[in-house]
Amino acid sequence: MTAPETPETPEISVVLPVHAGVDPAHLAAGLDSLRRQERRAEEVVIVEDGPLSAAHRAVLERFEQQHDGVRRVVLAVNSGAGVANQAGLAAARGVWIAKADADDLNRPDRLARQLAHATAHDLDLLGSAMAEFDDDPATPVAIRPAPTGPALARRVRWNNPVNHPTAFYRREAALAAGGYPPWRHMQDYGLMARLLAAGARADSLPDPLVSFRAGPAVLRRRRALGRLEWGLQTELRRLGLISAPRMVLNLLLRRGVQLLPAPVFGALYGRALRRPVDVPRERSRAVALAESLRAVVLGFVLTPWFGVLHRLRRRPVVGEAPVVVSLTTYGSRLRGVHLTLESIAAGTVRPHRLVLWLDDAAAVAAPPRSLRRLQRRGLEVRGCEDLGPHKKYVPALALDPGEPESPLVTADDDVYYPRRWLADLVDAGARAPEALWCHRSRRRIARGEGWAPYREWPLARGTDPSADRVPTGVGGVWYPVGFLAELRAAGDAFRRLAPRADDLWIHHVAVRAGRGIGQVADHPHHFPVRPVWHAPQLATANLAGGNDDVVRALAEAEVGP
């Protein structure tokens, strides 16, 4: 049955495909959420993707009686999500298309908010965050965030940048871009890529406007998508969104993750794409394990990638960013530190100085060939005394800037830093120039008149600078110019109080100086780890109780400005 058409062009058309695998009760709930919209769509196009049961048809007929402008498009056989969504797009007449899944729930203000925002900002595509639930939509298990602004356009190179059940886009823009590819799955990624490649103005709202029905079936579908990766990556390459090397990297990363055992894949999916809601302690441990496994897996994949870049790239490792990046290495780790340096040099911004500190005079005089290549591209290799982990910043305090002093950013020698790593720290420093900024931090926990054991300090969330946030150097830390003078004034008391705990010493000096520590993103970042073939003795010792001794010593000390 098709409702009579009116000459007026609808402003909003909802496109909702449904197939026989959808529970009729879930379909009824989803349609009811459309009926209860504060700003109803003038048209709802329901695409019947293959034969439906009598129960499904009864739900659809009841909805037709409750909502004006319902149109039904019938496909004789089940053709998959790509064909069904394209059939709905072709049949719709609205200026705007609001995508809806048959069994998801739309917040009552979804259409009103998306129409107002998209119109006010002259957008072609708008998404939002999305709540995920298993059984009861009132108790979501996770929030799937949505990238906004420039981050949305960057995301398309390796992942779908818009939560498809929340998509709200101009019909003419989608048709001009080619619409949905005829794939049974990942057709949503295909359309978003086509829109962005065609120059669509896109954004997302941070609030979850849709409740997505999750569960084990979703994970099973995602693991089964691997066989379609080649077609997707080929399309991204055809559209000019990725290079050939990026296509190879995407295939390795995405397919490699999909081939992991189901429990590991589920934990990775939960951490990479979703933000847990009130995560219990047991699940926190699983998430932490998944993050560690992901960092290790990506480290193995990226090692040959940065090895190739190191051989081929001739671009200087330094640039125009008014910041000094400083790091150190030692022993056998010297043989691979050039790969970490290449990841820094591949960033969207590059520091005007990149300095590697070594306590081995012979290595400074005759660096490995890999470092000599980087020296020709602007790397500085300098000698210093053995200060343990404090080598990454203490010698840099004595650098002759030759110009107004620059902020300092420290890095670790066994991490692969993403392209926005330094740019995000620079942006954060511009927003709050008196604070220290980091990508990863822990929140210290008070207990009685002192502090809980360091092992119980959780990884911190939120971005606001705080005295209770302890930066962890593995993610990189931004030191403002004023803080460098405070570190100099604090002297070398770290040798006695925190010889192996640079993070705690930095936090101590910052708090005594009245500075907060901020985190650049709401969640802590876990960057890929470069494989290093020996035990991480420093981290193990600190977690085993060494940091607790340092915390007590610093609490009792009167050190610094």
Side-chain angles (χ1 to χ4, degrees):
M1 172 180 178
T2 302
E5 294 190 5
T6 59
E8 297 81 11
T9 299
E11 191 166 24
I12 300 177
S13 293
V14 172
V15 171
L16 184 147
V18 59
H19 56 82
V22 176
D23 187 318
H26 296 166
L27 172 63
L31 292 173
D32 192 57
S33 73
L34 295 175
R35 184 178 64 83
R36 296 178 182 276
Q37 288 295 300
E38 295 171 0
R39 196 279 184 210
R40 279 196 182 188
E42 292 85 359
E43 179 179 72
V44 179
V45 179
I46 298 174
V47 181
E48 302 179 29
D49 188 11
L52 300 179
S53 69
H56 289 103
R57 292 194 297 273
V59 170
L60 296 180
E61 290 164 4
R62 184 166 59 252
F63 180 67
E64 285 183 289
Q65 297 170 1
Q66 298 171 333
H67 197 296
D68 295 331
V70 176
R71 307 176 66 205
R72 289 165 67 176
V73 176
V74 179
L75 304 182
V77 297
N78 179 263
S79 303
V83 172
N85 277 284
Q86 181 63 18
L89 172 60
R93 299 176 297 116
V95 175
W96 295 96
I97 301 296
K99 175 66 181 74
D101 278 3
D103 55 355
D104 294 341
L105 305 180
N106 299 274
R107 219 168 77 171
D109 60 346
R110 177 198 166 184
L111 297 184
R113 288 187 59 182
Q114 289 191 303
L115 177 62
H117 188 88
T119 302
H121 294 84
D122 193 25
L123 299 177
D124 301 303
L125 170 63
L126 179 65
S128 81
M130 191 165 66
E132 294 192 3
F133 69 97
D134 289 334
D135 298 311
D136 182 3
T139 56
V141 297
I143 301 296
R144 193 185 299 182
T148 59
L152 188 151
R154 292 194 301 269
R155 173 75 68 87
V156 74
R157 294 181 296 125
W158 67 87
N159 207 351
N160 191 349
V162 175
N163 292 321
H164 191 229
T166 74
F168 189 87
Y169 54 85
R170 290 186 189 272
R171 172 175 162 274
E172 290 301 326
L175 291 172
Y180 289 91
W183 306 336
R184 294 195 73 87
H185 304 286
M186 295 200 291
Q187 79 296 333
D188 49 347
Y189 196 165
L191 175 64
M192 303 309 145
R194 290 177 175 184
L195 279 166
L196 292 171
R201 300 174 295 274
D203 200 2
S204 282
L205 297 172
D207 297 331
L209 299 182
V210 173
S211 293
F212 177 79
R213 199 176 297 274
V218 173
L219 291 181
R220 287 196 297 271
R221 287 199 300 271
R222 288 189 174 275
R223 290 192 75 213
L225 296 181
R227 61 182 181 273
L228 305 175
E229 281 294 339
W230 177 260
L232 171 65
Q233 298 302 324
T234 301
E235 176 72 358
L236 296 179
R237 178 82 176 114
R238 183 189 70 81
L239 294 170
L241 294 171
I242 59 174
S243 63
R246 179 79 215 191
M247 176 179 172
V248 174
L249 181 61
N250 282 353
L251 287 168
L252 289 172
L253 292 178
R254 289 170 61 91
R255 186 59 178 143
V257 170
Q258 289 157 354
L259 291 174
L260 290 172
V264 177
F265 175 82
L268 285 173
Y269 166 74
R271 175 62 187 92
L273 298 180
R274 307 191 298 179
R275 184 175 73 241
V277 176
D278 298 329
V279 179
R281 184 175 181 82
E282 297 76 15
R283 191 175 173 198
S284 295
R285 290 173 178 166
V287 168
L289 174 61
E291 289 167 340
S292 299
L293 287 172
R294 176 178 178 273
V296 170
V297 170
L298 289 179
F300 276 99
V301 171
L302 291 173
T303 292
W305 169 259
F306 283 114
V308 171
L309 282 185
H310 178 69
R311 295 280 183 175
L312 299 179
R313 183 158 282 177
R314 298 293 181 266
R315 188 180 74 168
V317 299
V318 291
E320 301 299 324
V323 62
V324 175
V325 171
S326 176
L327 68 162
T328 186
T329 192
Y330 63 94
S332 62
R333 301 163 74 104
L334 181 64
R335 292 196 298 269
V337 70
H338 65 285
L339 301 175
T340 292
L341 292 164
E342 283 290 357
S343 75
I344 295 172
T348 57
V349 301
R350 285 166 287 155
H352 79 272
R353 298 182 75 173
L354 179 58
V355 186
L356 176 68
W357 299 97
L358 304 177
D359 60 22
D360 183 344
V364 175
R369 181 185 302 175
S370 57
L371 292 184
R372 294 200 301 272
R373 286 196 188 97
L374 292 175
Q375 284 180 304
R376 290 193 291 270
R377 294 164 56 195
L379 172 70
E380 300 176 44
V381 178
R382 292 174 170 255
C384 66
E385 66 173 303
D386 184 2
L387 300 171
H390 298 272
K391 280 190 303 178
K392 71 175 69 170
Y393 72 91
V394 170
L397 300 178
L399 280 173
D400 178 12
E403 56 188 40
E405 193 168 19
S406 301
L408 180 69
V409 171
T410 59
D412 270 14
D413 65 344
D414 59 349
V415 175
Y416 292 130
Y417 292 103
R419 285 170 53 79
R420 287 283 308 176
W421 169 73
L422 184 57
D424 287 341
L425 289 171
V426 171
D427 291 347
R431 291 196 305 270
E434 299 304 314
L436 279 70
W437 288 94
C438 60
H439 281 277
R440 187 172 182 267
S441 61
R442 291 186 180 273
R443 180 169 55 86
R444 64 176 179 175
I445 302 295
R447 180 167 296 170
E449 297 182 357
W451 303 104
Y454 182 83
R455 291 179 65 94
E456 297 181 17
W457 295 7
L459 290 174
R461 290 188 175 273
T463 61
D464 292 341
S466 166
D468 285 329
R469 188 189 304 278
V470 180
T472 56
V474 66
V477 183
W478 164 284
Y479 304 163
V481 170
F483 182 62
L484 303 183
E486 291 153 6
L487 279 173
R488 295 187 191 100
D492 65 353
F494 66 85
R495 297 176 186 261
R496 174 174 53 87
L497 296 171
R500 307 292 290 172
D502 55 316
D503 295 342
L504 292 173
W505 175 253
I506 293 297
H507 174 262
H508 172 76
V509 176
V511 171
R512 288 185 60 81
R515 296 183 185 273
I517 296 96
Q519 187 168 273
V520 299
D522 178 68
H523 57 283
H525 289 151
H526 295 259
F527 299 136
V529 178
R530 179 170 63 83
V532 177
W533 303 109
H534 62 78
Q537 298 172 350
L538 176 62
T540 302
N542 286 342
L543 285 174
N547 273 350
D548 296 331
D549 296 335
V550 174
V551 170
R552 284 191 293 270
L554 292 175
E556 297 168 359
E558 292 293 334
V559 179

